[in-house]
Amino acid sequence: MPQWLQWSLIIAGLIAIVLLAVFIRRQMGLLSENRKRQAKAEAFQTNRRQDMIRSVHVIAMAVEEDQIEYSEACLRLKGLLDHIAPELLEQSPFRVFQEVHDQLQHMPTHRARQATETKFVDKMDKERFEVEQKHADAIRRAATAIRHHSFSG
């Protein structure tokens, strides 16, 4: 084999090694970036979940101290539980949050409520107060239970 061919093959091999090393380094950098991004996303989700759990406890305490309307508490608790522990909405005593939500979800809120005719709002408020009275004891029991519930992982 001629010497120029040997040198050509050696140089081609070295170029291949350098190119593969650059490729491997770039892939390792991308992998490291993805790991950092994933860890950051997981930390965000963990913090978000903890914030929602704290919100559940605060709302439950507000119910126990009669600082919030029961209907509003049920709507908020149902929304939070949908994200952190939806299976609880099917269990006693927490089922009341779902039941009240189902009975009140057709009612307008926020801007829609402000834009609604006063007579209709009064009628809805009467219906809402009846639902609250009907479920008051169950809502208080569920609020106490959810405040003491330990949300796992």
Side-chain angles (χ1 to χ4, degrees), residues 41-109:
E42 287 173 3
F44 174 79
Q45 290 298 334
T46 300
N47 289 339
R48 184 171 179 243
R49 179 177 169 77
Q50 289 305 314
D51 288 345
M52 284 192 255
I53 290 170
R54 275 191 290 276
S55 293
V56 164
H57 291 147
V58 167
I59 294 168
M61 282 189 283
V63 167
E64 290 176 324
E65 296 174 12
D66 286 326
Q67 294 178 344
I68 188 173
E69 291 183 355
Y70 291 171
S71 56
E72 181 179 353
C74 288
L75 295 174
R76 290 177 183 265
L77 288 169
K78 192 264 186 206
L80 289 165
L81 289 174
D82 276 344
H83 293 286
I84 56 177
E87 68 280 358
L88 290 180
L89 294 169
E90 299 168 6
Q91 300 173 12
S92 182
F94 312 116
R95 189 177 304 122
V96 71
F97 301 138
Q98 180 72 50
E99 291 171 6
V100 171
H101 173 271
D102 291 346
Q103 292 176 13
L104 301 179
Q105 70 181 355
H106 68 281
M107 294 184 182
T109 59

Side-chain angles (χ1 to χ4, degrees), residues 133-152:
Q133 284 182 331
K134 177 181 174 189
H135 296 287
D137 291 336
I139 292 169
R140 279 193 296 275
R141 280 193 302 274
T144 299
I146 200 77
R147 191 169 62 82
H148 296 293
H149 183 77
S150 63
F151 294 92
S152 58

